[in-house]
């Protein structure tokens, strides 16, 4: 009967319909059911970044380890030992037959150093030294560096070498040279001054301070000139040319353009000069060996500490004096840095 084959007859005699794909060959499984999909590239990068960062830290640590080791051995350990040593003193026990014994004294050594008039007078000597030395050093170095930086300067290399050469001579040798030049019976300089009617005793109480300032200037002036000259070479020449076109003279260019642009170098030299002045030791120590010298063994604070340690064998007092000198240097350095930072922060 025709009704029993209804679906077949409804195809109008054509081809039988295609079975759905689910009934034919199986469809491909989604990638999540087949082989695992590749992880996003962002998940693989952190491990590489971490490894690169670890390598960088390892390299930095390897390069910095020798510095920190040397800094610890040469700076931190001696400072810590000086602090520890300054808290102890040696005292005789009983009638003195047992010899001296080391006892804890607290701040006794600091009180003894501050209470000693010789130690306090050493700072007044340093104050007078700084009043002479710092203006002459800073002003002379700036003037010479500006002269070398001008377009009219000739033989710059020669003058740089001639100015820097005294700095290459050790301070001990420089002091010995100048003692020879200060000694009346030996010095051709003193002989020439006497022939010209100028009498000046470099070893007297009035001449000691100028004599030491002269030695320090001879040693360090060229070093600071090189620092200032290098900073001036970094100044943009287009600014100087523009100022010249606007009619500015050499003095105006020097004080209105060059010096403000090398302010950081000026501050650095001032800071180092102050710290170096507080450490004044070699020149007066050698000068004290001169005939009739007014320099005593406690003329500066550093000489006081040296005398306490190696002449009186009072190492606790010497350590306390050294710590006090370091504190004064730290306070002055902080004050200079703070003052210059405020000046630069002003509009």
């Amino acid at each position: 009967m025709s009704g029993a084959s209804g679906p077949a007859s409804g195809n109008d005699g054509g081809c039988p319909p295609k079975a759905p794909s689910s009934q034919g060959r199986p469809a491909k499984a989604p990638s999540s059911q087949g082989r695992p999909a590749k992880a996003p590239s962002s998940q693989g990068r952190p491990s590489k970044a971490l490894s690169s960062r670890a390598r960088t830290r390892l390299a930095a640590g390897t390069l910095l380890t020798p510095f920190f080791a040397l800094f610890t051995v040469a700076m931190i350990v001696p400072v810590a030992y000086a602090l520890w040593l300054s808290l102890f003193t040696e005292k005789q026990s009983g009638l003195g037959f047992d010899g001296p014994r080391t006892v804890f004294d607290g701040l006794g050594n600091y009180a003894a150093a501050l209470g000693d008039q010789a130690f306090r007078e050493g700072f007044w000597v340093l104050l007078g030294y700084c009043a002479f030395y710092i203006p002459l050093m800073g002003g002379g170095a700036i003037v010479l560096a500006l002269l070398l930086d001008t377009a009219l300067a000739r033989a710059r290399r020669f003058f740089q070498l001639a100015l820097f050469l005294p700095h290459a001579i050790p301070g001990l040798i420089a002091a010995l040279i100048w003692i020879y030049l200060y000694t009346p019976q030996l010095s051709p300089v003193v002989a020439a001054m006497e022939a010209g009617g100028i009498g000046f005793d470099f070893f007297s109480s009035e001449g000691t301070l100028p004599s030491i300032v002269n030695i320090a200037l001879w040693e360090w002036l060229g070093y600071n000139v090189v620092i200032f000259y290098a900073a001036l070479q970094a100044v943009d020449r287009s600014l100087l040319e523009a100022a010249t076109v606007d009619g500015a003279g050499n003095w105006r260019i020097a004080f209105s353009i060059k010096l403000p642009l090398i302010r950081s170098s000026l501050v650095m030299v001032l800071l180092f000069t102050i710290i170096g002045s507080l450490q004044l030791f070699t020149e007066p120590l050698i000068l004290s060996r001169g005939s009739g010298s007014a320099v005593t063994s406690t003329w500066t604070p550093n000489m006081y500490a040296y005398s306490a340690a190696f002449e009186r064998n009072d190492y606790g007092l010497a350590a306390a004096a050294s710590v006090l000198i370091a504190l004064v240097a730290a306070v002055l350095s902080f004050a200079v840095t703070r003052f210059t930072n405020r000046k630069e922060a002003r509009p």
Side-chain angles (χ1 to χ4, degrees), residues 176-202:
L176 291 174
I177 293 173
W178 281 100
I179 283 181
Y180 166 76
L181 295 175
Y182 289 157
T183 303
Q185 295 82 9
L186 302 175
S187 173
V189 176
V190 174
M193 292 174 60
E194 291 178 349
I198 301 174
F200 187 79
D201 187 0
F202 292 97

Side-chain angles (χ1 to χ4, degrees), residues 208-238:
T208 298
L209 190 61
S211 301
I212 295 176
V213 169
N214 176 63
I215 298 174
L217 284 173
W218 186 78
E219 288 183 88
W220 290 96
L221 184 65
Y223 176 82
N224 293 325
V225 168
V226 171
I227 292 177
F228 289 147
Y229 180 73
L232 289 171
Q233 291 298 296
V235 174
D236 189 359
R237 296 296 158 178
S238 62

Side-chain angles (χ1 to χ4, degrees), residues 306-323:
Y306 178 84
S307 175
F310 299 105
E311 293 180 4
R312 290 176 281 171
N313 296 324
D314 194 344
Y315 299 105
L317 180 62
S322 301
V323 172

Side-chain angles (χ1 to χ4, degrees), residues 81-315:
Y81 181 67
L83 289 171
W84 173 263
L85 196 63
S86 66
L87 302 177
F88 294 86
T89 187
E90 290 187 354
K91 292 184 177 180
Q92 297 287 342
S93 59
L95 298 176
F97 296 107
D98 296 336
R101 56 190 180 91
T102 303
V103 297
F104 181 77
D105 196 27
L107 300 179
N109 287 319
Y110 294 94
L114 293 174
D116 195 337
Q117 184 179 359
F119 184 70
R120 297 196 306 269
E121 288 179 351
F123 284 100
W124 287 109
V125 171
L126 285 183
L127 183 62
Y129 173 81
C130 292
F132 276 99
Y133 174 65
I134 293 178
L136 291 174
M137 171 63 71
I142 289 172
V143 170
L144 290 174
L146 289 173
L147 289 175
L148 289 176
D149 190 59
T150 58
L152 300 178
R154 297 290 184 270
R156 297 180 184 178
R157 299 293 183 185
F158 169 77
F159 287 108
Q160 289 180 43
L161 179 61
L163 290 170
F164 185 78
L165 189 59
H167 178 70
I169 299 174
L172 177 63
I173 305 301
L176 291 174
I177 293 173
W178 281 100
I179 283 181
Y180 166 76
L181 295 175
Y182 289 157
T183 303
Q185 295 82 9
L186 302 175
S187 173
V189 176
V190 174
M193 292 174 60
E194 291 178 349
I198 301 174
F200 187 79
D201 187 0
F202 292 97
F203 298 106
S204 64
S205 57
E206 296 82 9
T208 298
L209 190 61
S211 301
I212 295 176
V213 169
N214 176 63
I215 298 174
L217 284 173
W218 186 78
E219 288 183 88
W220 290 96
L221 184 65
Y223 176 82
N224 293 325
V225 168
V226 171
I227 292 177
F228 289 147
Y229 180 73
L232 289 171
Q233 291 298 296
V235 174
D236 189 359
R237 296 296 158 178
S238 62
L239 296 176
L240 306 181
E241 294 174 358
T244 303
V245 171
D246 290 341
N250 292 330
W251 288 101
R252 183 66 180 274
I253 292 174
F255 289 97
S256 299
I257 298 178
K258 290 184 177 181
L259 292 184
L261 291 177
I262 64 169
R263 182 180 298 174
S264 59
S265 298
L266 296 174
V267 173
M268 182 188 68
V269 169
L270 175 61
L271 190 61
F272 287 172
T273 303
I274 292 175
I275 295 175
S277 299
L278 292 175
Q279 297 175 356
L280 182 64
F281 175 74
T282 304
E283 293 82 1
L285 180 66
I286 300 301
L287 202 65
S288 66
R289 305 295 191 260
S291 176
S293 175
V295 178
T296 62
S297 61
T298 58
W299 197 67
T300 65
N302 266 347
M303 294 179 66
Y304 177 90
Y306 178 84
S307 175
F310 299 105
E311 293 180 4
R312 290 176 281 171
N313 296 324
D314 194 344
Y315 299 105

